[in-house]
Amino acid sequence: MKKPVEKNTEKNRKVQEWRRGRSFLFLYSPLLSFFLAILLAFLLSSLLISWIGASPLLAFKALILGAFGSLNGFTETLVKATPLMLTGLGLCVAFRSKVWNIGAEGQIHLGALATTLMGVYLPHFPSFISLTLTGLASFFAGGFWAAIPGWLKIRWGVNEIITTLMMNYIAILGINYAVHVPLKEPGGFLPQSALIQPSVELPILVERTRLHAGILLGIAGAGVLHILLARTTLGYQIQVVGLNPDAGRCSGIPVGKIILIAMVLSGGFAGLAGMGEIAGVHHRLLENFSPGYGYTAIVVALLADLKPLAVILVSILFAALIVGADTMQRVAGVPNSLVLIIESLIVLFVLGSRALSYVRHPLFFVKDNGQRTTEGKLRIS
Amino acid sequence: MEVWEWGSGDSSTLSHPHTSIPLYPLPYPHTPILPYPHTSPLSYLHTFILLRIDKITKRFPGVLANDQISLEIEAGEVHALLGQNGAGKTTLMNILYGLYQPDSGQIYFKDRKVKISSPRKAIELGIGMVHQHFMLIPDFTVAENILIGFKQRGPFLNLKRVEQAVAELSHRYRLQVDPTARVQHLSVGSRQRVEIIKALYRGAELLILDEPTSVLTPQETHELFQILRTLTAQGKSVIFITHKLNEVMQVCDRATVLRNGRKVGTVKIQQEGPEKEVIKENLARMMIGKEVSLETERTALKKKPVQFGKEVLKVEELEAVNDQNRLVLKKISFSVRAGEILGIAGVAGNGQSELVEVLAGLRKAVGGRVFLNGQEVLNEPPRKLLEGGIAHIPEDRLRMGLVLDLPLPENAILGSFHKAPFSFKIGNALPGPRWLNYTEIRKFTERLIISYDIKTPHPEATMRMLSGGNQQKFIVGRELTRSPKVLLTVQPTMGLDIKATEFVHQKFLEQRENQVAILLISTELDEILALSDRVAVLYEGQIVGLLPADQADREILGRWMSGL
Ligand SMILES: Nc1ncnc2c1ncn2[C@@H]1O[C@H](COP(=O)(O)OP(=O)(O)OP(=O)(O)O)[C@@H](O)[C@H]1O
Ligand SMILES: [Mg+2]
């Protein structure tokens, strides 16, 4: 290609101007509106708190101190954030390709199952090797569980919302059965599996807390996914398939394959979340080890606007609410369930603040996945 | 001016079901059509200003789309709105329809100052719009589509009544549509009629048509003009956006020209008479803004003799079915040589779309063979065909050619993102992702924008922000710069202004000189005759005739196209 020789032509000036203009286009700040929305949610909940006769200030102080005020609280927040983060990351990928994977809960369970099997039956290796193998096993177990609905969708057009949801029941109930019968700890009375061997346990990061290395996996995963989505052809294809599959097909993108990859990635991250719970927290498979992380993670991913780096922040926020709720109840006498209300308010306000930034044009309403087009904002990733 | 109530009159027969706007002022059906409102037979001699806009300005980040535009629309006129791609026509109309709010300026409707805050408000006032891209739901019937977004009284749909009203409307305005038909089975022309009926059903007195003819065949265009005449004869006003001056001369009473967001002027059109050509030249000059004669532009399109190469694309006995599983390509055979343009003429819906889809790998053929460079490629996936040197300018640019919510650079590399220089691999033999090279991608986008003169607020603007014509230019530019061996193109100049059309034609001829085999499918005979080396006619899924271009004339082609 020829290098432009002329310096001050009209065209060159135009290009210069564009390049300068680029910075101005990033003025629009989603972070600011996010924090404003949270602030509003708290303001509104403080009305509720005073209405039931408690002190909002005390309650929020307890909430925040409970979640971040002590080493124990803070690490506990991070422990709870880990599965939300890992699962939410995976969902970012699926949702970007507009595949509505509601089955993260089941995929977490599959990952947990794989971890348990590895932990119980794997011959003894050095911890590093065991953990790598277990990680791969749970990633692919979760990925496999997500690939089934993905395949049904691309092969026969079966609605993935229904299939992923149904597969949750199979996974959850299947594991309940497993811990009652085949995997039940030999000689034990409780419905739980045997303990996994120490070499499959995730290392504890801070002595005398439950904080395990899963959180590092989450943060690293966010970085990897961010780069994958923003910088690689795979991420590009996922984005195109999500926004206009027909155009993707026309330009040679194998749409079915991309959907399948997105599903496997999504289920894989959920599987890693399952591994974190078993190898990091419980060290054995139990019934109900996940209080619905897979569902909360849907909200996390959407609130993070399907941006992996934002998932880190949002998942910690949600975990903090869960952890702080107990303290709030104890100290300020505000019922635990109020936190659910606050959570919902945050969700509503954040989504609301986004709706406000939509251009008022029916064509511009980019509906239901939390992605949007605004006049000022350009880069998706 | 005489004072009278707008719409008062014999509205006893039926009134609009949901607003107070009378729908049927005329005793239906056998009264002769009178100028509206017929209560005052003289009133149509006075010009009645239905809509007046005053110094409307609309700014988008980086562009001044409308700059102090003032305009008057009279009752009962067809008013053309002209201007080059990106001149601001659609934006102005979106403001009238309540989709955008102007930054400043006023709108007066029937001498009353109004604020059109939403399309609903526009509809209530009596303004209807048919968009550049239709907004119908294919799975719904005509009647259901007409009901969408309509305030209902009570929880139940009264489809029967709508169907009846639609039938009456279509009779009254000679708009032939079956209210119970499903939109997906309708031709583009009938879809457009549905959109018009939808507007009329809601009581539109001013109808905005944004490039209605760019998707129509000449026959359908002719029918549309009949409809417009019926409408205006009954007192409705129409704003008609087009790039084709001939159409303006045929149906319009006045024309307003925009350039770069400013109004250049309004011209009275004489549909007959000696001044016609002068007016036409004048309009063209107003649009382009320099002293150019249309004639010299026309002759600038020079077809050089080209030595044809070997048959790059060869199709043998190709058979394919459409979405309804009906056989729409019946044993078609033809070939295109390197450096040759094969034009395929024919009324839309005779298998053109399916033919191109099969050749681009988007539709499975049920029989026959296709050779690309001597290699059999029937039913290969699109990627393989693209690699083999096929470029495709699709018919439906919004659906197949662009991702509206992605920025221009991402759109520029659709179809070539997996190749250098747009992406690269670290360590060629290793497995791993391919990395996008945004520096190269941006440079490429900037070159594309400049060399195809694409008007955009910014090179990284979202595709949605571009005007319709500029989106089309973008696709054409992107496909041509991929240096294809075979170019498949359907209606390549749809929605392009005169200058851009010439430019694209020029580019096609350049490609031809570079030994590209071009399959040009178009419903516009002018385009086909100007560019092609050979012309074929597709009728009911068969090639009914094939001629060298110098022996083809409109008469023969016309006969073939209508199946005679
Ligand atoms: N939402 C938007 N954001 C930013 N710029 C916009 C937006 N909509 C339109 N524009 C810009 O405004 C200008 C006018 O666009 P408009 O769609 O009105 O053109 P047009 O006259 O209809 O052209 P065409 O003949 O190509 O359809 C263009 O430069 C376009 O890029
Ligand atoms: Mg337009």
Side-chain angles (χ1 to χ4, degrees):
Chain A
M1 261 155 260
K2 246 186 15 210
K3 274 241 158 86
V5 197
E6 340 82 306
K7 265 267 133 61
N8 274 325
T9 61
E10 174 70 12
K11 286 175 186 176
N12 264 354
R13 243 179 294 127
K14 216 162 151 191
V15 172
Q16 291 300 320
E17 200 181 298
W18 289 342
R19 294 209 168 126
R20 248 180 285 120
R22 233 166 234 152
S23 52
F24 130 87
L25 291 159
F26 291 90
L27 267 181
Y28 168 82
S29 161
L31 208 62
L32 189 70
S33 65
F34 184 72
F35 280 116
L36 276 177
I38 291 176
L39 203 69
L40 268 175
F42 273 88
L43 277 178
L44 206 65
S45 351
S46 63
L47 285 182
L48 268 177
I49 295 174
S50 17
W51 185 56
I52 58 171
S55 150
L57 261 152
L58 195 65
F60 288 138
K61 202 173 143 199
L63 183 76
I64 291 168
L65 283 184
F68 299 110
S70 63
L71 180 67
N72 220 340
F74 183 53
T75 52
E76 206 45 35
T77 299
L78 292 185
V79 169
K80 291 263 180 338
T82 304
L84 290 178
M85 197 183 298
L86 281 165
T87 314
L89 286 173
L91 290 179
C92 286
V93 181
F95 290 175
R96 276 198 188 212
S97 68
K98 288 258 170 70
V99 188
W100 302 112
N101 176 12
I102 312 296
E105 186 72 10
Q107 292 141 22
I108 292 177
H109 276 74
L110 259 278
L113 178 67
T115 306
T116 312
L117 291 177
M118 295 296 270
V120 175
Y121 296 114
L122 198 71
H124 190 79
F125 288 121
S127 183
F128 173 71
I129 297 178
S130 297
L131 276 177
T132 311
L133 289 177
T134 311
L136 285 174
S138 26
F139 185 92
F140 283 109
F144 164 73
W145 208 241
I148 298 171
W151 188 76
L152 289 172
K153 180 184 171 71
I154 61 178
R155 186 71 183 74
W156 283 297
V158 185
N159 184 330
E160 75 278 10
I161 298 183
I162 296 169
T163 43
T164 48
L165 196 61
M166 290 301 128
M167 295 209 28
N168 279 351
Y169 294 113
I170 302 179
I172 296 168
L173 297 174
I175 277 177
N176 284 358
Y177 168 76
V179 293
H180 273 103
V181 188
L183 281 182
K184 190 169 174 183
E185 189 176 17
F189 295 102
L190 296 172
Q192 56 185 24
S193 75
L195 277 174
I196 57 172
Q197 46 186 306
S199 64
V200 177
E201 283 176 16
L202 282 166
I204 294 292
L205 296 182
V206 180
E207 291 263 316
R208 282 198 298 282
T209 67
R210 300 204 296 167
L211 184 62
H212 56 89
I215 187 88
L216 301 182
L217 197 61
I219 292 171
V224 169
L225 272 194
H226 173 75
I227 293 172
L228 182 95
L229 288 175
R231 288 282 160 216
T232 69
T233 52
L234 177 62
Y236 172 79
Q237 292 176 82
I238 287 176
Q239 190 78 69
V240 170
V241 166
L243 291 172
N244 186 352
D246 283 328
R249 223 160 62 88
C250 283
S251 55
I253 295 175
V255 173
K257 195 171 128 195
I258 294 296
I259 287 182
L260 209 57
I261 291 177
M263 267 312 242
V264 169
L265 272 175
S266 163
F269 271 86
L272 288 182
M275 169 184 172
E277 288 310 280
I278 301 306
V281 181
H282 301 293
H283 300 156
R284 56 164 31 122
L285 191 59
L286 340 142
E287 272 184 322
N288 307 330
F289 69 89
S290 159
Y293 287 131
Y295 299 109
T296 313
I298 297 175
V299 182
V300 170
L302 290 179
L303 277 198
D305 204 10
L306 307 187
K307 293 187 176 73
L309 296 182
V311 166
I312 300 179
L313 191 84
V314 180
S315 58
I316 291 177
L317 173 78
F318 269 65
L321 286 174
I322 298 172
V323 174
D326 288 334
T327 333
M328 191 171 76
Q329 181 162 28
R330 237 179 317 111
V331 176
V334 176
N336 207 324
S337 53
L338 189 84
V339 161
L340 278 181
I341 298 181
I342 301 183
E343 265 179 29
S344 318
L345 284 175
I346 293 180
V347 174
L348 289 178
F349 278 117
V350 171
L351 296 183
S353 74
R354 273 184 207 152
L356 282 186
S357 62
Y358 286 140
V359 181
R360 290 196 52 204
H361 186 300
L363 282 175
F364 283 73
F365 274 89
V366 183
K367 302 119 261 192
D368 42 7
N369 67 336
Q371 290 189 5
R372 65 191 180 282
T373 312
T374 59
E375 286 189 335
K377 180 178 161 289
L378 297 178
R379 258 274 123 63
I380 296 277
S381 44
Chain B
M1 182 187 288
E2 204 172 329
V3 181
W4 43 269
E5 270 273 337
W6 184 265
S8 69
D10 182 10
S11 54
S12 54
T13 41
L14 248 178
S15 84
H16 193 272
H18 306 295
T19 67
S20 56
I21 301 164
L23 240 196
Y24 304 119
L26 290 177
Y28 176 79
H30 296 299
T31 18
I33 292 164
L34 290 175
Y36 180 84
H38 63 283
T39 39
S40 167
L42 284 180
S43 65
Y44 73 97
L45 294 177
H46 302 254
T47 52
F48 177 82
I49 308 295
L50 178 63
L51 173 88
R52 187 156 68 83
I53 58 180
D54 190 27
K55 300 215 178 81
I56 291 274
T57 298
K58 176 73 186 172
R59 186 184 292 278
F60 291 114
V63 262
L64 189 54
N66 288 159
D67 185 8
Q68 307 248 5
I69 295 183
S70 302
L71 187 65
E72 288 178 348
I73 307 291
E74 293 168 9
E77 77 165 334
V78 179
H79 195 112
L81 194 57
L82 302 171
Q84 289 184 284
N85 294 131
K89 306 178 293 292
T90 303
T91 306
L92 186 63
M93 294 302 108
N94 281 343
I95 289 173
L96 284 185
Y97 195 53
L99 289 166
Y100 292 143
Q101 293 308 305
D103 298 336
S104 65
Q106 276 87 42
I107 302 174
Y108 300 86
F109 195 70
K110 295 179 198 161
D111 271 343
R112 224 160 20 99
K113 187 170 162 183
V114 290
K115 186 173 178 300
I116 307 177
S117 48
S118 68
R120 170 152 288 164
K121 187 77 194 293
I123 292 165
E124 267 169 31
L125 286 171
I127 299 175
M129 180 157 175
V130 178
H131 286 267
Q132 203 161 354
H133 310 105
F134 298 158
M135 304 199 166
L136 298 173
I137 299 182
D139 285 338
F140 281 14
T141 67
V142 170
E144 283 165 343
N145 263 293
I146 286 171
L147 265 183
I148 297 173
F150 213 75
K151 249 196 227 128
Q152 278 285 317
R153 261 194 265 146
F156 301 108
L157 289 177
N158 195 342
L159 265 184
K160 271 275 160 310
R161 192 168 63 177
V162 179
E163 278 169 16
Q164 196 189 336
V166 168
E168 283 179 32
L169 273 177
S170 57
H171 186 94
R172 183 159 127 90
Y173 294 105
R174 319 227 168 102
L175 287 148
Q176 281 165 20
V177 176
D178 170 13
T180 57
R182 256 178 222 296
V183 166
Q184 63 186 3
H185 301 314
L186 297 182
S187 70
V188 181
S190 347
R191 282 182 202 203
Q192 191 165 58
R193 289 198 286 274
V194 175
E195 291 269 20
I196 295 177
I197 290 187
K198 186 169 162 183
L200 292 175
Y201 178 76
R202 295 167 175 204
E205 291 169 50
L206 171 65
L207 194 62
I208 301 169
L209 303 175
D210 195 352
E211 296 191 26
T213 55
S214 62
V215 289
L216 298 184
T217 61
Q219 176 60 29
E220 285 171 326
T221 304
H222 186 72
E223 286 165 17
L224 176 69
F225 289 174
Q226 291 295 344
I227 293 167
L228 294 191
R229 290 196 188 101
T230 321
L231 285 172
T232 47
Q234 303 194 16
K236 312 258 177 207
S237 306
V238 177
I239 300 181
F240 177 70
I241 300 181
T242 183
H243 292 294
K244 296 171 194 151
L245 288 178
N246 283 335
E247 297 178 354
V248 176
M249 304 315 290
Q250 272 178 50
V251 281
C252 296
D253 301 301
R254 295 193 301 158
T256 295
V257 179
L258 303 186
R259 186 167 75 229
N260 283 329
R262 290 211 194 87
K263 175 171 157 176
V264 184
T266 299
V267 175
K268 189 142 182 55
I269 305 289
Q270 253 125 30
Q271 295 182 0
E272 301 297 332
E275 282 169 62
K276 201 174 146 185
E277 285 309 310
V278 182
I279 294 176
K280 217 163 120 182
E281 291 262 316
N282 218 353
L283 285 176
R285 209 165 291 139
M286 284 163 81
M287 269 156 47
I288 298 168
K290 8 175 234 219
E291 295 289 315
V292 280
S293 148
L294 273 182
E295 289 315 309
T296 55
E297 289 262 308
R298 273 281 135 69
T299 45
L301 196 66
K302 246 212 141 65
K303 248 169 80 176
K304 290 193 195 130
V306 165
Q307 189 67 47
F308 299 141
K310 61 179 174 41
E311 290 179 342
V312 190
L313 179 71
K314 193 166 154 66
V315 174
E316 282 178 2
E317 313 222 309
L318 188 65
E319 286 184 304
V321 293
N322 67 1
D323 293 334
Q324 281 86 46
N325 231 349
R326 207 162 52 82
L327 195 66
V328 285
L329 290 182
K330 301 165 186 162
K331 298 209 186 260
I332 285 191
S333 305
F334 63 85
S335 66
V336 195
R337 286 164 290 177
E340 182 185 40
I341 299 183
L342 174 64
I344 295 197
V347 177
N350 275 293
Q352 290 95 328
S353 317
E354 287 82 4
L355 174 60
V356 171
E357 281 172 17
V358 168
L359 295 180
L362 302 171
R363 178 182 292 276
K364 293 265 176 278
V366 292
R369 288 159 20 118
V370 175
F371 297 93
L372 180 64
N373 275 322
Q375 241 187 333
E376 170 135 27
V377 292
L378 189 77
N379 293 343
E380 295 283 357
R383 168 69 69 84
K384 178 107 187 283
L385 297 172
L386 294 178
E387 303 273 288
I390 282 190
H392 177 203
I393 300 173
E395 185 178 15
D396 186 346
R397 61 178 171 234
L398 293 192
R399 193 167 67 81
M400 317 213 301
L402 299 169
V403 187
L404 289 180
D405 292 312
L406 285 180
L408 303 197
E410 274 82 348
N411 274 286
I413 56 168
L414 260 181
S416 49
F417 63 89
H418 56 287
K419 283 192 289 218
F422 302 133
S423 62
F424 59 92
K425 204 150 176 203
I426 302 170
N428 259 327
L430 302 170
R434 282 189 75 88
W435 300 90
L436 290 170
N437 183 345
Y438 269 104
T439 325
E440 284 300 325
I441 296 173
R442 289 202 185 109
K443 265 199 244 156
F444 174 70
T445 314
E446 282 161 3
R447 270 207 307 276
L448 193 65
I449 292 172
I450 287 173
S451 51
Y452 282 81
D453 193 24
I454 292 162
K455 205 175 163 216
T456 166
H458 191 272
E460 281 177 45
T462 313
M463 190 41 93
R464 203 183 277 290
M465 295 179 190
L466 261 57
S467 80
N470 282 301
Q471 290 173 343
Q472 181 71 18
K473 282 197 256 179
F474 190 92
I475 297 184
V476 172
R478 177 184 74 202
E479 296 304 316
L480 293 187
T481 38
R482 290 182 40 210
S483 35
K485 294 200 184 68
V486 177
L487 178 64
L488 307 174
T489 123
V490 191
Q491 312 284 27
T493 53
M494 183 167 114
L496 295 190
D497 60 35
I498 304 173
K499 219 172 93 192
T501 302
E502 299 281 340
F503 179 74
V504 167
H505 286 169
Q506 204 71 54
K507 283 280 171 191
F508 280 3
L509 292 183
E510 264 169 44
Q511 296 283 322
R512 170 175 171 270
E513 280 152 34
N514 292 335
Q515 293 286 305
V516 177
I518 301 180
L519 184 69
L520 169 71
I521 297 189
S522 176
T523 50
E524 269 178 58
L525 278 184
D526 287 332
E527 184 164 57
I528 297 246
L529 288 171
L531 295 176
S532 311
D533 296 301
R534 287 185 299 151
V535 186
V537 172
L538 201 56
Y539 177 75
E540 295 205 332
Q542 280 170 320
I543 289 190
V544 291
L546 183 71
L547 271 181
D550 44 12
Q551 293 167 31
D553 62 41
R554 303 180 133 268
E555 203 193 325
I556 307 177
L557 295 181
R559 264 213 313 277
W560 284 347
M561 280 162 66
S562 50
L564 297 174

